[in-house]
Amino acid sequence: MESHIILKGTKEGVRCVFPEDKDIMELERMCDEVLKDIGHILRDGTLIVDLQGREIKEEEISFILKKLVWPSGATKTIWRSYDTYTRKVLRAAGFNIEEQHSGASLQNSRGLFICKSIRSGQKVEHDSDIFIVGNVNDGSEVLASGNIWIWGKLQGVAHAGCQGDEEAHILARVFESNQIRIGKLYSSIERNNSYWGKSVLIYAEENMLVFKEI
């Protein structure tokens, strides 16, 4: 089944959401489709390149520039990603990246919803709440300045309130993680704990982390 770039109209401009698991040849076909369908809308407008959690390679960035960004005629391009490595690559290249909200405006910021599992080696950061429908696999990291909800297995590292908010909490449908952080508080967990493999709510109380089965 063929994948396509999802197009979304926003007040900032046209957002092109790239699938995370397609190779560079598939990207060429999808970029051609976008230009054919809405090239006239992109011209002189704002193009938002949304890479989601794709760990981008430099040659893929160059490819997207040549096949979509430059031919589109857009006067402004914004790059969006929640993958930490990809954001670093884009920032180092001098691209305009959609910035995350500051902690001061956290109450007005939008949460990040991810409907997929986070694979080993992947790191997700967001300046608000993070809701994941999928597993957080061993070797991966999830950092949120707000709360973290995982509707799946939590096996990797989760750090809620990563900007120092110890009122944040972590909710996991199946808890199997060896390391949890909330604010500046930290806990290492062994497999023989009674809540291992259970649905767990984790929060801070009296300067320590509390694990509550739910």
Side-chain angles (χ1 to χ4, degrees), residues 59-73:
E59 58 265 31
E60 290 177 333
I61 295 175
S62 177
F63 190 87
I64 293 171
L65 285 171
K66 293 176 182 178
K67 294 295 182 178
L68 177 62
V69 176
W70 294 337
S72 73

Side-chain angles (χ1 to χ4, degrees), residues 38-102:
I38 63 163
H40 61 292
I41 298 175
L42 292 174
R43 185 164 299 280
D44 298 324
T46 297
L47 168 64
I48 303 168
V49 180
D50 189 345
L51 301 171
Q52 302 191 81
R54 188 184 186 98
E55 189 173 303
I56 200 78
K57 300 179 178 65
E58 291 185 5
E59 58 265 31
E60 290 177 333
I61 295 175
S62 177
F63 190 87
I64 293 171
L65 285 171
K66 293 176 182 178
K67 294 295 182 178
L68 177 62
V69 176
W70 294 337
S72 73
T75 55
K76 182 179 181 181
T77 303
I78 301 172
W79 298 75
R80 183 179 189 273
S81 173
Y82 60 76
D83 182 81
T84 302
Y85 174 78
T86 296
R87 290 178 66 86
K88 287 181 179 178
V89 171
L90 293 170
R91 186 173 287 110
F95 290 117
N96 182 15
I97 304 172
E98 182 181 81
E99 292 300 330
Q100 298 172 328
H101 299 281
S102 67

Side-chain angles (χ1 to χ4, degrees), residues 161-174:
C162 63
Q163 294 179 2
D165 182 9
E166 293 184 359
E167 293 185 359
H169 64 263
I170 298 170
L171 178 66
R173 187 173 181 221
V174 180

Side-chain angles (χ1 to χ4, degrees), residues 52-210:
Q52 302 191 81
R54 188 184 186 98
E55 189 173 303
I56 200 78
K57 300 179 178 65
E58 291 185 5
E59 58 265 31
E60 290 177 333
I61 295 175
S62 177
F63 190 87
I64 293 171
L65 285 171
K66 293 176 182 178
K67 294 295 182 178
L68 177 62
V69 176
W70 294 337
S72 73
T75 55
K76 182 179 181 181
T77 303
I78 301 172
W79 298 75
R80 183 179 189 273
S81 173
Y82 60 76
D83 182 81
T84 302
Y85 174 78
T86 296
R87 290 178 66 86
K88 287 181 179 178
V89 171
L90 293 170
R91 186 173 287 110
F95 290 117
N96 182 15
I97 304 172
E98 182 181 81
E99 292 300 330
Q100 298 172 328
H101 299 281
S102 67
S105 61
L106 178 60
Q107 67 273 19
N108 297 319
S109 63
R110 297 182 61 183
L112 175 64
F113 185 89
I114 302 173
C115 193
K116 64 184 270 312
S117 293
I118 309 302
R119 62 186 181 274
S120 179
Q122 191 171 18
K123 184 177 182 181
V124 175
E125 293 182 84
H126 186 61
D127 279 351
S128 185
D129 301 325
I130 297 178
F131 189 99
I132 298 172
V133 179
N135 300 325
V136 176
N137 289 308
D138 187 25
S140 64
E141 294 182 72
V142 177
L143 295 88
S145 58
N147 307 305
I148 297 174
W149 297 291
I150 299 164
W151 195 247
K153 291 183 178 180
L154 170 55
Q155 297 174 322
V157 175
H159 187 177
C162 63
Q163 294 179 2
D165 182 9
E166 293 184 359
E167 293 185 359
H169 64 263
I170 298 170
L171 178 66
R173 187 173 181 221
V174 180
F175 181 83
E176 296 179 352
S177 175
N178 294 116
Q179 184 181 138
I180 292 296
R181 295 176 183 265
I182 295 180
K184 296 179 181 179
L185 302 177
Y186 167 90
S187 182
S188 294
I189 301 98
E190 300 294 334
R191 287 175 172 267
N192 58 3
N193 277 289
S194 61
Y195 45 79
W196 189 272
K198 308 285 183 61
S199 295
V200 174
L201 173 66
I202 308 160
Y203 56 93
E205 188 173 87
E206 297 181 354
N207 209 35
M208 64 182 297
L209 296 184
V210 176

Side-chain angles (χ1 to χ4, degrees), residues 7 32-41:
L7 303 175
D32 288 342
E33 287 179 350
V34 170
L35 292 175
K36 180 179 178 181
D37 293 342
I38 63 163
H40 61 292
I41 298 175

